[in-house]
Amino acid sequence: MKISILTLFPEAMQPYLDSSILGRAERAGLLDVAFYPIRDYSLDKHKKTDDYPFGGGAGLVMTPQPVFDAMAAARQRHRPSCKVIYLSPQGRRLDNRLARQLAGEEELILLCGHYEGIDQRIVDQLVDMEVSIGDYVLTGGELAALVLVDSVSRFVPGVVGNENVHEDESFEDGLLEYPQYTRPADFRGFAVPEVLLSGHHAHIEAWHKEKALEKTRAVRPDLLGEEQKPEV
Ligand code: 6GU
């Protein structure tokens, strides 16, 4: 999958993409990420990328010119049909369903905003979809873009070792994941649940299901369509 990222802070994102499973995916050619550092495209003599909002208000707003020019450069690397996603708290909430859907795209362009926002003409003219990673505000879209790349990459065939891993995971069956254990069976007096050592597959499966339900009911009853308990 080919992904281009427009950001003011490529140096903050690069090390994460080079690490662990995403790094391995890049080296294997399954993932191809390129950065378009927005500041490099500023025609301002001080490489400015932001300015005061018309109509007043707090904070600065990203100006159109550097983003339009960075986008034109990024577009050169992609097919005309390539979708542009703007990471913003105003966007559609990212979940596994959207991640899987986006993994079906062969290419994506991601735009990370900063400051208090970006000029709306950028969104209106250049963006196909706004995506948020949750109901809280980050100082910039970079972490959100990394979250999106990570969650989408996991649906790209070959990125995660075993093709069946998704089936057992949180959300795939609408439940959170059951607890897992590895060796030793007794760690400093803390024992692994007996049933997992029994070798009885039907019992183990039933236990997994029971624990997944228990956990989901306790922390995410909304996933079961149940009433949410008031917060304590
Ligand atoms: Cl995508 N960007 C920012 N700045 N804050 C967020 C977000 C995105 N998603 C949740 N909070």
Side-chain angles (χ1 to χ4, degrees), residues 86-91 113-115 131-145:
Y86 169 45
L87 284 309
S88 108
Q90 279 73 51
H114 241 266
Y115 307 107
V131 173
S132 163
I133 63 164
D135 294 340
Y136 41 84
V137 181
L138 303 169
T139 56
E142 283 75 16
L143 286 171

Side-chain angles (χ1 to χ4, degrees), residues 93 171 174 176 215-225 228:
R93 178 94 70 87
F171 303 114
L176 300 183
K215 180 76 181 171
T216 307
R217 192 165 286 129
V219 307
R220 292 293 305 277
D222 57 300
L223 292 176
L224 299 170
Q228 260 172 294

Side-chain angles (χ1 to χ4, degrees), residues 70-148:
M71 189 66 74
R75 280 228 167 262
Q76 302 267 316
R77 199 170 92 92
H78 295 276
R79 299 184 310 207
S81 60
C82 179
K83 295 272 178 293
V84 174
I85 295 177
Y86 169 45
L87 284 309
S88 108
Q90 279 73 51
R92 165 175 171 189
R93 178 94 70 87
L94 178 65
D95 56 18
N96 243 11
R97 177 199 298 259
L98 179 56
R100 189 192 290 102
Q101 185 187 316
L102 293 175
E105 302 280 337
E106 281 162 44
E107 334 186 330
L108 287 175
I109 297 176
L110 307 181
L111 171 62
C112 304
H114 241 266
Y115 307 107
E116 305 306 308
I118 70 177
D119 190 293
Q120 185 61 31
R121 289 166 292 188
I122 297 169
V123 180
D124 293 345
Q125 303 303 318
L126 303 180
V127 172
D128 295 300
M129 188 193 294
E130 277 185 81
V131 173
S132 163
I133 63 164
D135 294 340
Y136 41 84
V137 181
L138 303 169
T139 56
E142 283 75 16
L143 286 171
L146 287 173
V147 167
L148 187 146

